[in-house]
Amino acid sequence: MESSLKIKAIIAEEQGAPDVFKVGEVDFPSNEGKENYVWIKTEATGINRAETMQRKGLYPSIPGETDVIGLEAAGYLVNSQEEYTSGEYKNNERVMALLPGGGYSDIARVHKDHLMKIPENLSFEEGAAIPETWLTSFQLLFLVASGKEGQTALIHAAGSGIGCAAIQLCKKVGITTIAVASTNEKLELAKSIGASHGINYKENADFSTLVQEYTGGKGVNIILDCVGAQNFDYNIKSAAVDCQWVLYGLMGGPKVPEFNLKSFMGKRIQLLCSTLKTRTNEYKADMITKFSEQFLPLFETGELKPIIDITLKYSEMKDAHEYMESNKTQGKIICTNDL
Amino acid sequence: MESSLKIKAIIAEEQGAPDVFKVGEVDFPSNEGKENYVWIKTEATGINRAETMQRKGLYPSIPGETDVIGLEAAGYLVNSQEEYTSGEYKNNERVMALLPGGGYSDIARVHKDHLMKIPENLSFEEGAAIPETWLTSFQLLFLVASGKEGQTALIHAAGSGIGCAAIQLCKKVGITTIAVASTNEKLELAKSIGASHGINYKENADFSTLVQEYTGGKGVNIILDCVGAQNFDYNIKSAAVDCQWVLYGLMGGPKVPEFNLKSFMGKRIQLLCSTLKTRTNEYKADMITKFSEQFLPLFETGELKPIIDITLKYSEMKDAHEYMESNKTQGKIICTNDL
């Protein structure tokens, strides 16, 4: 049996509430059988909704990958175990990456094609706010849907990291956005980064009335939906003909009590279900290349900016998840590595 | 008031059963306010499911177009009312076209970009079997879905005109097809034109078991579905990851009693609703150009062939619709003009 280096990580020995997290140790992630992989010495990680699902046991880790949670990180590129143990990695590039898991540990294994260089003007915290959130928004808008200039998009959970990224990407491309969120503060944030309209769904459960008003009765061409069943009928009423309705989460439950297909046929609605974590390495690499070419340079010019709500520590992961589940976030929750 | 030429047509003074049809007269369709339109002296028309819906009042005619039913025709190109009345049109080109209506009349108005030349080796009857049926199949497989070589497609109503066209188009492109139909005779026809497998849904209501067997447990990449609610759950069980499920009819009803979005999310299913009649003129023209370039030449070489079940007369439109509604057809019902 080979000697194995232990590394610090936030681990959960059982599934459940945020207090299952504790600081622990895991094996250094071996690259055996994993061609083309490198490591990141993590400096910061972004917290994602999918990670709260994984903590609760509702979203399994990818087979063959670490059980340590964490879908994105920013830190230093590490090419070998020696670079890590010697501290030489500090001379390497600052990178951010989409991870198959392991973001909550001191060193995370990553496919070399899933790395992006952190723009020079951005901190590690800002870098950690980009991969999962911005790549997901990019994917939903431009790879799953075919968003283009002149369209109107309805953005649910506009205060989330994905929502804030989607609003900025839409503005850059010339897509008008209608933001939907639970508080007026979130809607103010959404408008400050480019949303044309905001709808507080606590005050307007049937948001479609306002959507129709804001679109002159035409409805929206794109819906970014992480809610699901709870808004199902209102989304149908909000849709324009040929609407591309991208479903990427089920925060409002999965069960639609009755689905009348006529309502879909009449508008030629496209319901496009998407997840990012389970896509192939090739899909992710291609997406990262496209995003890097088209949008990453705009972070350097300040035209796009990661929106960070709060920065905590890895050792405060319990608080980070509790805050995520409070549904009060405005932008990303970031944790910096204090392991 | 201008003098108007009367033309013969199959008309329906009320909505209802097939016996509402009778031979009557309507005004020659004026081109006033319709730039870029010509006429077809119809020699044959194909009967379509959507036309039975229009007869019953469930699918309105397009605003600004004739109320005379008929979505496709083959005949002679007519450039002016004079050409029609003088009989000169018989020297003109033999054309087939997607119509906004009017196929059941002696002369039908059509956008000049919606015409196709009838391949020389095909009769008017065969020409009339192409536009709606083949363009719909082409659209569903390649414009709505993104069908490509190596995939597997589940073709419902495989004995229909659209089904028979889809099987041939798939075979040409290298897409394996699994045909679903109500009789073994229809399945034999489907196999004779290229289907790899056939499933009789009267014997296998839950066709998904056989679909999983035929695909080695992977499921299908494409579903062409004109049935809707009745097969909804079986289609979910038949779908591969990233399945593109094209819904273009609701012969099995519109109401799904419970829709669990989780089942869609788990496979990243795309439910793509489509109709052809209500698309813009530009969409139709573009589709016809693409189809004409890619597939029309293959009718001349005999690699693709319109499958005609029965040929009747315009004056037998009642029988034609009754046969369509018997769900016994194997290929197209064509009516030749005896007005």
Side-chain angles (χ1 to χ4, degrees):
Chain A
M1 189 164 162
E2 289 180 29
S3 71
S4 72
L5 180 67
K6 294 285 181 187
I7 56 162
K8 291 276 183 71
I10 301 300
I11 59 172
E13 286 177 350
E14 52 192 330
Q15 296 162 345
D19 59 10
V20 297
F21 284 132
K22 60 180 185 180
V23 177
E25 281 190 336
V26 295
D27 288 341
F28 186 95
S30 157
N31 270 359
E32 206 182 312
K34 292 273 181 186
E35 301 291 317
N36 300 318
Y37 278 68
V38 293
W39 296 271
I40 295 180
K41 164 68 178 75
T42 61
E43 295 291 329
T45 188
I47 310 304
N48 295 287
R49 180 74 51 177
E51 295 159 9
T52 66
M53 308 280 289
Q54 190 173 344
R55 190 201 71 225
K56 288 186 269 192
L58 302 174
Y59 198 25
S61 56
I62 298 175
E65 301 292 347
T66 177
D67 287 333
V68 176
I69 297 177
L71 295 171
E72 62 187 341
Y76 292 100
L77 174 65
V78 177
N79 296 295
S80 66
Q81 192 170 315
E82 291 66 42
E83 273 191 13
Y84 174 64
T85 48
S86 68
E88 258 182 63
Y89 64 82
K90 287 188 178 166
N91 301 314
N92 289 352
E93 268 190 342
R94 299 188 324 135
V95 294
M96 54 192 182
L98 201 59
L99 302 174
Y104 298 1
S105 55
D106 197 46
I107 192 146
R109 184 176 61 191
V110 59
H111 194 287
K112 68 173 181 48
D113 293 340
H114 297 173
L115 291 172
M116 293 176 282
K117 209 172 150 177
I118 301 176
E120 286 194 7
N121 55 319
L122 298 191
S123 65
F124 282 121
E125 291 87 333
E126 289 170 315
I130 291 178
E132 181 73 19
T133 299
W134 285 81
L135 288 169
T136 296
S137 290
F138 170 74
Q139 180 208 17
L140 300 180
L141 287 168
F142 304 115
L143 302 184
V144 179
S146 44
K148 47 184 173 286
E149 191 178 353
Q151 292 185 318
T152 301
L154 186 64
I155 311 292
H156 287 289
S160 70
I162 290 175
C164 290
I167 289 165
Q168 291 182 69
L169 289 173
C170 282
K171 185 179 169 67
K172 192 64 211 162
V173 169
I175 298 170
T176 302
T177 48
I178 301 173
V180 180
S182 59
T183 69
N184 292 338
E185 290 69 31
K186 290 180 185 177
L187 295 172
E188 284 311 310
L189 169 63
K191 285 184 190 171
S192 76
I193 55 176
S196 293
H197 306 280
I199 301 175
N200 184 325
Y201 71 80
K202 299 275 188 189
E203 294 166 6
N204 297 278
D206 181 358
F207 49 81
S208 70
T209 309
L210 283 171
V211 168
Q212 290 299 338
E213 185 184 320
Y214 295 148
T215 58
K218 288 184 182 167
V220 293
N221 309 104
I222 292 177
I223 300 173
L224 290 202
D225 179 15
C226 55
V227 178
Q230 183 182 304
N231 286 344
F232 201 78
D233 290 336
Y234 305 140
N235 280 327
I236 294 175
K237 287 162 72 181
S238 300
V241 172
D242 290 318
C243 178
Q244 293 186 305
W245 172 353
V246 184
L247 183 68
Y248 70 99
L250 297 171
M251 288 170 57
K255 287 191 186 169
V256 179
E258 185 182 276
F259 179 25
N260 191 330
L261 295 168
K262 253 191 208 172
S263 62
F264 261 46
M265 285 291 280
K267 291 183 173 184
R268 294 194 301 249
I269 290 174
Q270 302 193 342
L271 181 65
L272 311 171
C273 295
S274 189
T275 53
L276 179 51
K277 194 168 94 166
T278 54
R279 301 273 184 179
T280 63
N281 281 340
E282 292 68 31
Y283 180 98
K284 289 176 183 171
D286 180 59
M287 175 182 69
I288 287 166
T289 302
K290 285 176 178 154
F291 176 79
S292 298
E293 286 170 7
Q294 197 178 352
F295 291 109
L296 207 48
L298 303 178
F299 287 92
E300 292 191 39
T301 60
E303 291 172 85
L304 299 178
K305 52 180 181 179
I307 306 295
I308 296 175
D309 181 323
I310 193 171
T311 303
L312 299 166
K313 307 278 186 196
Y314 275 40
S315 58
E316 298 171 310
M317 198 56 78
K318 168 177 167 288
D319 302 327
H321 273 232
E322 278 176 353
Y323 185 44
M324 170 65 83
E325 291 179 325
S326 74
N327 295 331
K328 289 181 184 157
T329 55
Q330 298 189 34
K332 288 287 281 189
I333 304 168
I334 299 296
C335 290
T336 56
N337 186 348
D338 62 343
L339 296 177
Chain B
M1 191 162 164
E2 288 179 29
S3 71
S4 71
L5 181 67
K6 294 285 179 187
I7 56 162
K8 289 278 183 70
I10 300 301
I11 60 172
E13 286 177 350
E14 52 191 330
Q15 295 163 346
D19 61 9
V20 298
F21 285 132
K22 58 180 187 180
V23 177
E25 281 190 334
V26 295
D27 289 340
F28 186 96
S30 157
N31 269 357
E32 205 182 312
K34 291 272 179 185
E35 300 291 318
N36 300 318
Y37 278 67
V38 292
W39 296 271
I40 294 180
K41 165 64 179 74
T42 61
E43 295 291 329
T45 188
I47 310 303
N48 296 286
R49 181 73 51 178
E51 296 159 9
T52 67
M53 306 279 289
Q54 188 172 346
R55 190 203 71 225
K56 288 187 268 194
L58 302 175
Y59 198 25
S61 56
I62 299 176
E65 301 292 346
T66 176
D67 287 333
V68 176
I69 297 176
L71 295 171
E72 63 187 339
Y76 293 101
L77 173 65
V78 177
N79 297 295
S80 67
Q81 192 169 316
E82 290 67 41
E83 275 192 11
Y84 174 64
T85 48
S86 68
E88 262 180 60
Y89 64 82
K90 286 187 179 167
N91 301 314
N92 290 351
E93 269 189 343
R94 297 185 330 132
V95 294
M96 54 193 182
L98 201 61
L99 301 175
Y104 297 1
S105 54
D106 196 48
I107 192 146
R109 183 175 59 191
V110 60
H111 193 287
K112 69 176 180 49
D113 293 341
H114 297 174
L115 290 172
M116 292 177 283
K117 210 173 150 175
I118 300 176
E120 285 194 9
N121 55 319
L122 298 191
S123 65
F124 283 121
E125 290 87 334
E126 289 169 315
I130 291 179
E132 181 72 19
T133 298
W134 285 80
L135 287 169
T136 296
S137 290
F138 170 74
Q139 180 208 16
L140 301 179
L141 287 167
F142 304 114
L143 303 184
V144 179
S146 44
K148 46 183 174 286
E149 192 178 352
Q151 293 185 318
T152 300
L154 186 64
I155 311 291
H156 288 289
S160 69
I162 289 175
C164 290
I167 289 165
Q168 291 183 68
L169 289 173
C170 282
K171 186 178 169 66
K172 192 64 211 160
V173 169
I175 298 170
T176 301
T177 48
I178 302 173
V180 180
S182 59
T183 69
N184 292 338
E185 290 68 32
K186 290 180 185 177
L187 295 171
E188 284 312 310
L189 169 64
K191 285 183 189 171
S192 75
I193 55 176
S196 293
H197 306 281
I199 301 175
N200 184 325
Y201 71 81
K202 298 274 187 188
E203 294 166 6
N204 297 279
D206 181 358
F207 48 83
S208 70
T209 309
L210 284 171
V211 168
Q212 290 299 337
E213 185 184 322
Y214 296 147
T215 58
K218 289 186 180 166
V220 293
N221 310 105
I222 292 177
I223 301 174
L224 290 201
D225 178 14
C226 55
V227 177
Q230 184 183 305
N231 286 343
F232 200 78
D233 290 336
Y234 305 139
N235 279 326
I236 294 175
K237 287 162 71 183
S238 300
V241 172
D242 291 319
C243 178
Q244 295 187 305
W245 172 352
V246 184
L247 183 67
Y248 70 99
L250 297 171
M251 286 170 58
K255 287 191 186 168
V256 178
E258 186 180 275
F259 178 26
N260 191 330
L261 294 168
K262 254 191 205 168
S263 61
F264 261 47
M265 285 289 282
K267 292 183 172 183
R268 295 194 300 249
I269 290 174
Q270 302 193 341
L271 181 64
L272 311 171
C273 296
S274 189
T275 54
L276 179 52
K277 193 169 96 167
T278 54
R279 301 273 184 179
T280 62
N281 280 338
E282 291 68 31
Y283 180 97
K284 289 176 183 172
D286 180 57
M287 174 182 69
I288 288 166
T289 301
K290 286 176 176 152
F291 176 79
S292 298
E293 285 171 7
Q294 197 178 351
F295 291 108
L296 206 47
L298 303 178
F299 287 91
E300 292 190 40
T301 61
E303 290 173 85
L304 299 177
K305 53 180 180 179
I307 307 294
I308 295 175
D309 180 323
I310 192 171
T311 302
L312 298 167
K313 307 279 186 193
Y314 275 42
S315 59
E316 297 170 311
M317 198 56 77
K318 168 179 168 286
D319 302 326
H321 274 232
E322 278 174 354
Y323 186 45
M324 169 67 80
E325 290 179 327
S326 76
N327 295 332
K328 289 181 185 154
T329 57
Q330 298 190 35
K332 288 287 283 189
I333 305 166
I334 300 295
C335 291
T336 56
N337 186 349
D338 64 342
L339 296 176

